[in-house]
């Protein structure tokens, strides 16, 4: 039968998509699963749907908790999980029937080669709500391969790697001293970088078995010009931590980490509301100071595109003016 996999699904107000997600997990050809639905204080009836689904498959266990965010729900699931391996699926996504079988086979094959692999990654694609394929965010490899830690970090620094835990199968013991950081976004990136320090690398499989559903949520539709997700703060903080890690342990990746830092700050400056680009905004001023201290790196870094460099240099010189022009061009383009 094979060792048990605990599949942890954080659930919050997912009434329209949870059933498809859960049924795709129940349909796995690898049957030794426990499916942990962690209801994070749903208010739309999803909590009752979780309980209903649990009556249909004995492998489903439901835990209801107060709302605390996806990381909080995942951490509760980790504490409850009994499996030797952990998988994670977001409640609005779905997976192919052979996903966990392929990943467990890869774990077993590595053992036969006397290589202890603690993380296997499957490839993913992105689809819209109608199921239409969208451009790949992470391009799958042509063949299965073992990617060493330094190479995997390089892929992350170039924005080509997949940091999502939804595409990973992870040995339980890796979570002995680790949990998802709560109260922040981009949390998968932070935790994965921690775990990478304890392993030799990750086996990556080419088949796109995990389907990320990109939804136009009501929150997105109701966004105003002053709306701003804290994810753009967290990605800058993560870039700073990566620079420290790289310079201490992976000096060959220094230029990649500089590129990552500059790119993350570019992303921040292209999204922070113009109304928050003020002398009183400490975070904004730190971003500006960093860019002005790294003009030479912006010009010389071979891992930035020409377009990246132009935007960075313009935003370094006159960020508010550039953003106003950028906003005007986007407005004209939509008309």
């Amino acid at each position: 039968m094979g060792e048990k996999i605990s599949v942890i699904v954080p659930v919050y107000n997912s009434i329209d998509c949870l059933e498809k997600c859960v049924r795709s997990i129940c349909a796995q050809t690898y049957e030794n699963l426990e499916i942990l639905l962690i209801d994070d204080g749903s208010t739309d009836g999803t909590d009752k749907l979780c309980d209903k689904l649990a009556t249909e498959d004995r492998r489903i266990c439901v835990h209801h908790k107060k709302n605390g965010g996806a990381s909080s729900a995942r951490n509760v699931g980790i504490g409850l999980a009994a499996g030797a391996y952990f998988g994670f699926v977001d409640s609005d996504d779905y997976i192919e029937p052979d996903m966990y079988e392929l990943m467990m086979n890869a774990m077993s094959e590595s053992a036969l080669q006397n290589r202890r692999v603690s993380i296997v990654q499957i490839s993913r694609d992105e689809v819209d709500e109608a199921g239409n394929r969208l451009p790949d965010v992470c391009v799958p490899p042509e063949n299965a391969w073992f990617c060493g830690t330094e190479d995997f970090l390089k892929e992350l620094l170039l924005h080509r790697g997949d940091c999502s835990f939804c595409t990973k199968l992870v040995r339980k013991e890796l979570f002995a001293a680790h949990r998802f950081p709560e109260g922040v976004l981009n949390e998968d990136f932070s935790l994965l970088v921690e775990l990478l320090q304890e392993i030799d690398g990750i086996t990556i499989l080419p088949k796109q078995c995990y389907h990320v559903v990109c939804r136009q949520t009501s929150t997105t539709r109701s966004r105003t010009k002053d709306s701003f997700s804290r994810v753009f703060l967290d990605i800058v903080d993560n870039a700073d931590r990566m620079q420290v890690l790289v310079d201490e342990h992976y000096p060959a990746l220094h230029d990649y980490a500089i590129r990552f830092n500059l790119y993350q700050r570019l992303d921040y400056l292209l999204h922070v509301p113009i109304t928050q680009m003020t002398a009183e905004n400490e975070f904004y001023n730190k971003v500006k100071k960093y860019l002005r201290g790294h003009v030479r790196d912006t010009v010389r870094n071979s891992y930035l595109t020409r377009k990246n460099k132009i935007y960075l240099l313009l935003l370094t010189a006159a960020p508010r003016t550039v953003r106003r022009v950028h906003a005007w061009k986007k407005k004209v383009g939509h008309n």
Side-chain angles (χ1 to χ4, degrees), residues 278-290:
T278 65
E280 293 73 36
N281 187 332
E282 184 179 349
F283 195 94
Y284 165 68
N285 285 289
K286 284 182 179 179
V287 169
K288 283 199 306 179
K289 183 178 179 180
Y290 181 94

Side-chain angles (χ1 to χ4, degrees), residues 54-120:
T55 66
E56 300 176 6
D57 193 312
R58 60 179 176 77
R59 297 173 297 174
I60 298 175
C61 302
V62 180
H63 180 86
H64 301 285
K65 63 183 285 293
K66 291 183 179 179
N67 181 254
S71 287
S72 171
R74 281 175 165 182
N75 288 339
V76 168
I78 290 170
L80 296 171
Y85 299 89
F86 293 169
F88 301 88
V89 178
D90 284 345
S91 61
D92 48 0
D93 299 334
Y94 61 98
I95 61 179
E96 289 297 310
D98 58 349
M99 187 176 95
Y100 285 118
E101 182 177 3
L102 290 171
M103 297 169 92
M104 283 298 290
N105 286 344
M107 288 279 189
S108 299
E109 288 170 12
S110 67
L112 292 175
Q113 298 167 2
N114 294 319
R115 171 186 283 163
R116 182 171 172 79
V117 171
S118 295
I119 301 179
V120 171

Side-chain angles (χ1 to χ4, degrees), residues 227-245:
S227 298
F228 185 50
S229 170
R230 71 158 296 137
V231 71
F232 296 107
L233 309 179
D234 294 335
I235 63 174
V236 173
D237 288 339
N238 280 338
D240 287 338
R241 285 192 286 271
M242 281 293 286
Q243 189 73 59
V244 173
L245 173 70

Side-chain angles (χ1 to χ4, degrees), residues 189-201:
F189 184 95
S190 299
L191 179 58
L192 183 60
V193 170
E194 287 182 17
L195 298 188
L196 281 168
Q197 305 315 298
E198 300 188 11
I199 61 177
D200 295 327

Side-chain angles (χ1 to χ4, degrees), residues 48-266:
K48 296 181 179 60
L49 177 57
C50 287
D51 294 334
K52 175 180 176 295
L53 291 169
T55 66
E56 300 176 6
D57 193 312
R58 60 179 176 77
R59 297 173 297 174
I60 298 175
C61 302
V62 180
H63 180 86
H64 301 285
K65 63 183 285 293
K66 291 183 179 179
N67 181 254
S71 287
S72 171
R74 281 175 165 182
N75 288 339
V76 168
I78 290 170
L80 296 171
Y85 299 89
F86 293 169
F88 301 88
V89 178
D90 284 345
S91 61
D92 48 0
D93 299 334
Y94 61 98
I95 61 179
E96 289 297 310
D98 58 349
M99 187 176 95
Y100 285 118
E101 182 177 3
L102 290 171
M103 297 169 92
M104 283 298 290
N105 286 344
M107 288 279 189
S108 299
E109 288 170 12
S110 67
L112 292 175
Q113 298 167 2
N114 294 319
R115 171 186 283 163
R116 182 171 172 79
V117 171
S118 295
I119 301 179
V120 171
Q121 174 181 298
I122 202 79
S123 294
R124 78 188 208 207
D125 62 18
E126 281 74 29
V127 299
D128 63 21
E129 292 177 88
N132 300 309
R133 279 286 302 272
L134 300 173
D136 287 329
V137 173
C138 300
V139 178
E142 292 185 5
N143 301 293
W145 69 300
F146 179 78
C147 184
T149 290
E150 185 163 335
D151 285 335
F152 197 91
L153 286 171
K154 182 175 77 173
E155 292 301 298
L156 292 179
L157 293 171
L158 290 171
H159 290 93
R160 298 191 308 219
D162 183 3
C163 66
S164 172
F165 272 84
C166 290
T167 55
K168 312 288 191 292
L169 183 66
V170 186
R171 288 186 187 274
K172 178 178 184 175
E173 55 261 36
L174 274 185
F175 286 98
H178 298 280
R179 292 293 186 271
F180 288 93
E182 298 182 24
V184 298
L185 299 176
N186 204 219
E187 63 276 16
D188 284 26
F189 184 95
S190 299
L191 179 58
L192 183 60
V193 170
E194 287 182 17
L195 298 188
L196 281 168
Q197 305 315 298
E198 300 188 11
I199 61 177
D200 295 327
I202 295 176
T203 294
I204 303 175
L205 305 180
K207 187 174 180 181
Q208 291 174 297
C209 287
Y210 191 95
H211 304 294
V212 178
V213 181
C214 300
R215 299 180 184 279
Q216 183 72 14
T217 65
S218 58
T219 301
T220 302
R221 287 194 294 268
S222 62
R223 217 173 260 168
T224 69
K225 65 182 179 65
D226 292 324
S227 298
F228 185 50
S229 170
R230 71 158 296 137
V231 71
F232 296 107
L233 309 179
D234 294 335
I235 63 174
V236 173
D237 288 339
N238 280 338
D240 287 338
R241 285 192 286 271
M242 281 293 286
Q243 189 73 59
V244 173
L245 173 70
V246 163
D247 289 344
E248 287 183 359
H249 301 289
Y250 307 97
L253 299 182
H254 174 80
D255 287 348
Y256 295 96
I258 290 291
R259 179 259 178 207
F260 189 70
N261 257 287
L262 291 168
Y263 191 97
Q264 301 299 72
R265 283 164 168 81
L266 172 61

Side-chain angles (χ1 to χ4, degrees), residues 311-323:
Y311 261 109
L312 279 165
L313 293 172
L314 289 173
L315 284 164
T316 300
R320 286 172 60 87
T321 300
V322 172
R323 278 297 307 282

